[in-house]
Amino acid sequence: MLRRHPRNPILTRAQIPAIEPWIVDPTSVFNPGAVLHAGRVRLVLRVQTRGRRTHLVMADSADGVDFTVERRIVSLEGIERAGGEIFHVYDPRITRLEGSCYLVVAMDTEAGCRMGLARTRDFVSFEFLGVDEAREARNGVLFPERIGGRYLRLERPNRLDPGDGPLSGDEIVLAESPDLLSWRAVGVVARGRPRYWDERIGSGPPPIKTRAGWLHIYHGVATHFGSVHIYQAGVLLLDLEDPSRLVARGSENILEPREPYELVGQVPNVVFPSGIVVRREDGEGFALPESEALIYYGAADTCVGLATTTIAELLAACRR
Ligand code: BMA
């Protein structure tokens, strides 16, 4: 039900300019964060080099399809204060909140995977605000507003040990915070469904506010095929006033690897939604049902795909 853009993949490693000596002929670009900023679509790309090092690089577009990639590595000012060695900063999710754009990033550290937070107002300078030391987790996404005075975040605790790779998880948890830095888990909003398409799950892009509730795209991993895991995208809906309450969840995926660039690459069989842009909302910030949604996703951990749909279609998929 998502429509792949005819120009997919919309970003490949061929479009990443050399940023010597750090980025030269990189291996891949994937899992971008996305936001609408001053009428333009901004992506924060995950660029991976042949040394398997990860850098964040910005891209900018007027139409959301044709991107110009900046010749500059995004540096999160103050990240050294996090202490210890940080191996990778990746999979940024961007939320506009109280006039700033916040990035929740995954950080591979000596202690494990942690969620870090950075803020920017202009996409020129990025201020690192802190790291959540208390949690082994990934796929953190902030809500675009406070609810009941609290900041809210969806996150994916890494409690499963697959034995042959990084820790993973099968729950999306709602957490709350008075200050964006200290977080308390409120409860599980969705669990993996063993034997079906979404056995392990984690948040995709930040939730979208609609009159029907918080619309949320997540990724699900089918692990029962043995030789390969299949990453797909699905939708769920959370209650507007109490987002710890699941209102609806689609039973089928809405995007699965089918095209060659999704089936073949660095990690085969992966579509990994990480950014969403909705252009039309009403006066109170609710996305209009007829509004188009641009969904950016990593394909096979190698390139960036774009799939489009409408808010109304996504809401219908939640109830199917
Ligand atoms: C997940 C994350 C993503 C990645 C995906 C598929 O666990 O590491 O960054 O895109 O696996 O490899």
PDB file of all heavy atoms in Angstrom, residues 30-31 46 90-91 138 231 267 270 272 301, ligand 1:
ATOM      1  N   PHE A  30      22.256   5.200   4.375  1.00  0.00           N
ATOM      2  CA  PHE A  30      20.952   4.609   4.693  1.00  0.00           C
ATOM      3  C   PHE A  30      20.380   5.195   5.986  1.00  0.00           C
ATOM      4  O   PHE A  30      20.978   6.083   6.595  1.00  0.00           O
ATOM      5  CB  PHE A  30      21.052   3.070   4.746  1.00  0.00           C
ATOM      6  CG  PHE A  30      22.079   2.495   5.700  1.00  0.00           C
ATOM      7  CD1 PHE A  30      21.692   1.818   6.846  1.00  0.00           C
ATOM      8  CD2 PHE A  30      23.439   2.614   5.438  1.00  0.00           C
ATOM      9  CE1 PHE A  30      22.629   1.256   7.710  1.00  0.00           C
ATOM     10  CE2 PHE A  30      24.391   2.071   6.305  1.00  0.00           C
ATOM     11  CZ  PHE A  30      23.983   1.402   7.440  1.00  0.00           C
ATOM     12  N   ASN A  31      19.193   4.712   6.366  1.00  0.00           N
ATOM     13  CA  ASN A  31      18.496   5.052   7.615  1.00  0.00           C
ATOM     14  C   ASN A  31      18.549   6.538   7.967  1.00  0.00           C
ATOM     15  O   ASN A  31      19.049   6.918   9.033  1.00  0.00           O
ATOM     16  CB  ASN A  31      19.067   4.210   8.777  1.00  0.00           C
ATOM     17  CG  ASN A  31      18.891   2.726   8.552  1.00  0.00           C
ATOM     18  OD1 ASN A  31      18.390   2.305   7.518  1.00  0.00           O
ATOM     19  ND2 ASN A  31      19.304   1.921   9.510  1.00  0.00           N
ATOM     20  N   ARG A  46      22.917   8.524   7.356  1.00  0.00           N
ATOM     21  CA  ARG A  46      23.943   7.670   7.953  1.00  0.00           C
ATOM     22  C   ARG A  46      24.848   7.199   6.810  1.00  0.00           C
ATOM     23  O   ARG A  46      24.413   6.437   5.937  1.00  0.00           O
ATOM     24  CB  ARG A  46      23.269   6.474   8.631  1.00  0.00           C
ATOM     25  CG  ARG A  46      24.218   5.391   9.092  1.00  0.00           C
ATOM     26  CD  ARG A  46      23.443   4.262   9.742  1.00  0.00           C
ATOM     27  NE  ARG A  46      24.306   3.171  10.150  1.00  0.00           N
ATOM     28  CZ  ARG A  46      23.888   2.067  10.755  1.00  0.00           C
ATOM     29  NH1 ARG A  46      22.599   1.916  11.024  1.00  0.00           N
ATOM     30  NH2 ARG A  46      24.718   1.116  11.091  1.00  0.00           N
ATOM     31  N   TYR A  90      24.440   6.707  15.009  1.00  0.00           N
ATOM     32  CA  TYR A  90      23.717   6.321  13.805  1.00  0.00           C
ATOM     33  C   TYR A  90      22.204   6.346  13.979  1.00  0.00           C
ATOM     34  O   TYR A  90      21.693   6.539  15.067  1.00  0.00           O
ATOM     35  CB  TYR A  90      24.188   4.941  13.330  1.00  0.00           C
ATOM     36  CG  TYR A  90      23.980   3.814  14.332  1.00  0.00           C
ATOM     37  CD1 TYR A  90      22.921   2.926  14.208  1.00  0.00           C
ATOM     38  CD2 TYR A  90      24.855   3.641  15.384  1.00  0.00           C
ATOM     39  CE1 TYR A  90      22.731   1.890  15.108  1.00  0.00           C
ATOM     40  CE2 TYR A  90      24.672   2.610  16.303  1.00  0.00           C
ATOM     41  CZ  TYR A  90      23.620   1.743  16.156  1.00  0.00           C
ATOM     42  OH  TYR A  90      23.440   0.730  17.062  1.00  0.00           O
ATOM     43  N   ASP A  91      21.522   6.133  12.878  1.00  0.00           N
ATOM     44  CA  ASP A  91      20.053   6.051  12.810  1.00  0.00           C
ATOM     45  C   ASP A  91      19.364   7.225  13.516  1.00  0.00           C
ATOM     46  O   ASP A  91      18.508   7.019  14.397  1.00  0.00           O
ATOM     47  CB  ASP A  91      19.561   4.708  13.383  1.00  0.00           C
ATOM     48  CG  ASP A  91      19.999   3.519  12.529  1.00  0.00           C
ATOM     49  OD1 ASP A  91      20.736   3.737  11.540  1.00  0.00           O
ATOM     50  OD2 ASP A  91      19.620   2.376  12.861  1.00  0.00           O
ATOM     51  N   ARG A 138      17.722   1.270  21.641  1.00  0.00           N
ATOM     52  CA  ARG A 138      17.880   1.876  20.323  1.00  0.00           C
ATOM     53  C   ARG A 138      16.521   2.380  19.848  1.00  0.00           C
ATOM     54  O   ARG A 138      15.519   2.188  20.506  1.00  0.00           O
ATOM     55  CB  ARG A 138      18.366   0.805  19.338  1.00  0.00           C
ATOM     56  CG  ARG A 138      19.723   1.035  18.756  1.00  0.00           C
ATOM     57  CD  ARG A 138      20.041   0.242  17.503  1.00  0.00           C
ATOM     58  NE  ARG A 138      19.587  -1.112  17.431  1.00  0.00           N
ATOM     59  CZ  ARG A 138      20.235  -2.157  17.924  1.00  0.00           C
ATOM     60  NH1 ARG A 138      21.362  -2.003  18.550  1.00  0.00           N
ATOM     61  NH2 ARG A 138      19.755  -3.376  17.777  1.00  0.00           N
ATOM     62  N   TYR A 231      13.395  -7.391   7.334  1.00  0.00           N
ATOM     63  CA  TYR A 231      12.956  -6.143   7.971  1.00  0.00           C
ATOM     64  C   TYR A 231      11.856  -5.520   7.129  1.00  0.00           C
ATOM     65  O   TYR A 231      12.053  -5.255   5.944  1.00  0.00           O
ATOM     66  CB  TYR A 231      14.113  -5.154   8.083  1.00  0.00           C
ATOM     67  CG  TYR A 231      15.048  -5.420   9.239  1.00  0.00           C
ATOM     68  CD1 TYR A 231      15.907  -6.497   9.213  1.00  0.00           C
ATOM     69  CD2 TYR A 231      15.068  -4.575  10.343  1.00  0.00           C
ATOM     70  CE1 TYR A 231      16.778  -6.740  10.273  1.00  0.00           C
ATOM     71  CE2 TYR A 231      15.929  -4.803  11.404  1.00  0.00           C
ATOM     72  CZ  TYR A 231      16.783  -5.890  11.365  1.00  0.00           C
ATOM     73  OH  TYR A 231      17.635  -6.108  12.412  1.00  0.00           O
ATOM     74  N   VAL A 267      23.199  -5.523   3.979  1.00  0.00           N
ATOM     75  CA  VAL A 267      22.363  -6.445   4.761  1.00  0.00           C
ATOM     76  C   VAL A 267      21.113  -6.702   3.926  1.00  0.00           C
ATOM     77  O   VAL A 267      20.261  -5.835   3.774  1.00  0.00           O
ATOM     78  CB  VAL A 267      21.977  -5.843   6.138  1.00  0.00           C
ATOM     79  CG1 VAL A 267      21.131  -6.831   6.928  1.00  0.00           C
ATOM     80  CG2 VAL A 267      23.213  -5.463   6.931  1.00  0.00           C
ATOM     81  N   VAL A 270      16.122  -5.780   3.681  1.00  0.00           N
ATOM     82  CA  VAL A 270      15.829  -4.774   4.704  1.00  0.00           C
ATOM     83  C   VAL A 270      15.130  -3.556   4.104  1.00  0.00           C
ATOM     84  O   VAL A 270      15.637  -2.946   3.163  1.00  0.00           O
ATOM     85  CB  VAL A 270      17.121  -4.279   5.405  1.00  0.00           C
ATOM     86  CG1 VAL A 270      16.795  -3.138   6.387  1.00  0.00           C
ATOM     87  CG2 VAL A 270      17.828  -5.417   6.135  1.00  0.00           C
ATOM     88  N   PHE A 272      13.898  -0.215   6.221  1.00  0.00           N
ATOM     89  CA  PHE A 272      14.016   0.283   7.597  1.00  0.00           C
ATOM     90  C   PHE A 272      13.557   1.738   7.612  1.00  0.00           C
ATOM     91  O   PHE A 272      14.332   2.659   7.354  1.00  0.00           O
ATOM     92  CB  PHE A 272      15.480   0.156   8.046  1.00  0.00           C
ATOM     93  CG  PHE A 272      15.704   0.366   9.521  1.00  0.00           C
ATOM     94  CD1 PHE A 272      15.604  -0.685  10.423  1.00  0.00           C
ATOM     95  CD2 PHE A 272      16.045   1.616  10.021  1.00  0.00           C
ATOM     96  CE1 PHE A 272      15.827  -0.489  11.777  1.00  0.00           C
ATOM     97  CE2 PHE A 272      16.270   1.814  11.375  1.00  0.00           C
ATOM     98  CZ  PHE A 272      16.171   0.767  12.257  1.00  0.00           C
ATOM     99  N   ASP A 301      20.496  -1.689   4.063  1.00  0.00           N
ATOM    100  CA  ASP A 301      21.626  -0.988   4.714  1.00  0.00           C
ATOM    101  C   ASP A 301      22.621  -0.480   3.669  1.00  0.00           C
ATOM    102  O   ASP A 301      23.838  -0.421   3.920  1.00  0.00           O
ATOM    103  CB  ASP A 301      22.340  -1.896   5.730  1.00  0.00           C
ATOM    104  CG  ASP A 301      21.545  -2.054   7.031  1.00  0.00           C
ATOM    105  OD1 ASP A 301      20.372  -1.651   7.076  1.00  0.00           O
ATOM    106  OD2 ASP A 301      22.119  -2.589   7.999  1.00  0.00           O
TER     107      ASP A 301
HETATM  108  C1  BMA B   1      18.989  -2.906  13.045  1.00  0.00           C
HETATM  109  C2  BMA B   1      19.776  -1.617  13.157  1.00  0.00           C
HETATM  110  C3  BMA B   1      19.641  -0.816  11.880  1.00  0.00           C
HETATM  111  C4  BMA B   1      19.854  -1.667  10.637  1.00  0.00           C
HETATM  112  C5  BMA B   1      19.034  -2.948  10.717  1.00  0.00           C
HETATM  113  C6  BMA B   1      19.249  -3.886   9.546  1.00  0.00           C
HETATM  114  O1  BMA B   1      19.204  -3.713  14.154  1.00  0.00           O
HETATM  115  O2  BMA B   1      21.128  -1.910  13.382  1.00  0.00           O
HETATM  116  O3  BMA B   1      20.599   0.207  11.907  1.00  0.00           O
HETATM  117  O4  BMA B   1      19.488  -0.960   9.507  1.00  0.00           O
HETATM  118  O5  BMA B   1      19.345  -3.621  11.905  1.00  0.00           O
HETATM  119  O6  BMA B   1      20.584  -4.296   9.476  1.00  0.00           O
END
